[in-house]
Amino acid sequence: MVGESIGDAIRAVLREYGATLDVAPALVPDSVSAENYRVETNRGTLFVKRYRESRPRDRMAREQAAIAWAAANGLPVARPLATQRGETLHECEGRWWSVSPWVKGSTYRRGQMSPAGAEHLGAVHGRTHRVLAAHPIRALPPNSELTWDTAASVEILKTLGPHVRDRGDDRERRMVRKQRELLESGIARPSSEFSGIPLQATHGDFHERNVMIDETGEVAAIVDWERFCVQPPAFEVLRAVSFVLLLEEPLLSAYLRGYRRETSLDETTIEPAIEAWRQSAMHNTWALRDYFLQGNPATRQFFAEEEARARLFNDSAFREQLAETFLREAC
């Protein structure tokens, strides 16, 4: 149920687009870092996004520029609508908003994907990388997950400690303890050691929830370009198969075969990218911070996945097998 104040703000935003509400707006499920709403209007069904208060305007503008570039270069996207003044971002009540057409379709479900679905999603990822390889990278930031500081991560975990002890469960207390033990064990490496891996423009947050599939099985739109950035393609592929729970066979090979139909990964980047992803995850405190310090309940859903992923990537035999699969299927 959308509160009255949010409903009033959405009405005010829609007026800037020459639209009026037909029924009360509905919060889109599974939204994590922004508030997304489905609204029925006199202009049809629209997708209304309210950005987080902390989002800098240049990041939002970069997202919209990325969508425009992707559309011009043949990738399926949902282009933001312009207000009556020609702007695609609108400020209302101290927050930034965007409005785009509602994309009719569905997404693959994490943990329920078939090998055929994994191969299809991998092909979409490969196509996205192939097209974005032509995007200029000079003005784009690197993926923030490529930079970390061991001492800073340890301090954040120390800060989280009392909150997790008081409000967390056994898993969350174990996660914080084990992550801190890893960081203080001597295996942490500085992010500067991985700065030589070649970069290109990438979606930045490619996973199953950001790929809309229409009723014919084709891609209706690749959505949520807010993390548009440069990074090693292999790093983003590792991120995707980790998040979408495709690290086991036959799903992993299926994803990589789909990716390889569209483009290939540089074999020299595979092993360093795997270690970079392991180190990045070892230092990353985002989900814990967002839940315990920022009060975002949506990130708690990821804790079990993060704990399982940490066990895998800190197993040297698993990393060796993963590298072999990437080299065989994606290079």
Side-chain angles (χ1 to χ4, degrees):
M1 187 72 173
V2 173
E4 185 176 345
S5 62
I6 292 294
D8 289 343
I10 290 174
R11 289 183 182 88
V13 169
L14 291 175
R15 281 196 293 271
E16 298 296 320
Y17 294 82
T20 57
L21 275 176
D22 290 340
V23 297
L27 185 66
V28 176
D30 297 329
S31 299
V32 175
S33 295
E35 295 173 29
N36 302 318
Y37 300 91
R38 174 177 176 150
V39 296
E40 306 292 340
T41 78
N42 63 323
R43 293 187 59 179
T45 307
L46 300 177
F47 178 86
V48 176
K49 178 175 184 175
R50 182 168 85 151
Y51 289 91
R52 292 185 76 163
E53 201 166 3
S54 59
R55 288 291 184 260
R57 195 180 189 287
D58 63 341
R59 174 167 165 166
M60 295 179 276
R62 185 166 59 246
E63 175 189 24
Q64 301 212 342
I67 293 170
W69 191 95
N73 286 273
L75 289 176
V77 294
R79 297 195 66 169
L81 301 175
T83 67
Q84 296 175 92
R85 292 193 293 269
E87 300 167 340
T88 55
L89 284 168
H90 177 66
E91 188 175 16
C92 179
E93 298 183 359
R95 298 285 287 273
W96 288 97
W97 302 71
S98 68
V99 177
S100 55
W102 180 263
V103 179
K104 187 177 181 181
S106 60
T107 65
Y108 290 113
R109 302 303 298 178
R110 189 170 298 192
Q112 302 175 27
M113 200 173 301
S114 67
E119 186 166 348
H120 183 215
L121 190 63
V124 178
H125 202 173
R127 177 187 174 191
T128 304
H129 277 179
R130 175 170 54 77
V131 172
L132 291 177
H135 190 289
I137 67 172
R138 187 180 350 177
L140 295 181
N143 182 351
S144 60
E145 295 164 335
L146 290 169
T147 303
W148 56 82
D149 179 273
T150 303
S153 293
V154 169
E155 285 304 309
I156 291 170
L157 291 169
K158 288 179 181 178
T159 300
L160 282 164
H163 298 274
V164 178
R165 282 195 298 272
D166 293 344
R167 297 187 285 119
D169 60 19
D170 288 345
R171 170 188 288 129
E172 291 151 4
R173 287 187 282 272
R174 184 171 63 242
M175 285 175 64
V176 170
R177 184 180 70 254
K178 286 185 174 296
Q179 186 172 4
R180 186 171 168 186
E181 287 172 357
L182 280 171
L183 290 172
E184 294 178 332
S185 70
I187 65 172
R189 296 167 59 182
S191 56
S192 59
E193 289 190 12
F194 305 94
S195 61
I197 309 175
L199 310 174
Q200 73 155 69
T202 64
H203 176 275
D205 195 20
F206 192 95
H207 55 72
E208 86 291 355
R209 295 181 187 179
N210 286 337
V211 179
M212 302 296 299
I213 308 297
D214 67 21
E215 59 187 9
T216 71
E218 296 301 314
V219 178
I222 302 164
V223 301
D224 192 0
W225 292 73
E226 196 176 331
R227 286 182 56 86
F228 187 60
C229 63
V230 295
Q231 62 184 320
F235 188 92
E236 190 182 56
V237 174
L238 282 158
R239 184 183 192 273
V241 295
S242 297
F243 285 3
V244 189
L245 307 183
L246 301 178
L247 289 169
E248 296 183 357
E249 296 296 354
L251 298 174
L252 176 61
S253 289
Y255 191 96
L256 297 177
R257 281 196 303 272
Y259 183 92
R260 182 67 179 84
R261 289 209 313 267
E262 295 287 342
T263 190
S264 62
L265 295 173
D266 179 348
E267 63 180 13
T268 67
T269 69
I270 300 303
E271 290 188 6
I274 289 173
E275 182 60 22
W277 173 242
R278 173 199 181 207
Q279 292 286 332
S280 177
M282 188 190 306
H283 287 81
N284 197 325
T285 60
W286 166 74
L288 289 165
R289 280 186 288 112
D290 236 39
Y291 179 72
F292 285 103
L293 302 183
Q294 304 300 322
N296 181 3
T299 60
R300 198 175 201 181
Q301 65 184 295
F302 303 125
F303 291 165
E305 297 171 11
E306 289 197 354
E307 184 180 41
R309 191 159 55 242
R311 282 197 300 269
L312 283 177
F313 276 89
N314 285 293
D315 179 340
S316 60
F318 169 79
R319 296 196 303 275
E320 289 174 10
Q321 182 61 50
L322 184 64
E324 289 177 8
T325 304
F326 266 70
L327 288 167
R328 182 180 68 249
E329 302 289 356
C331 297

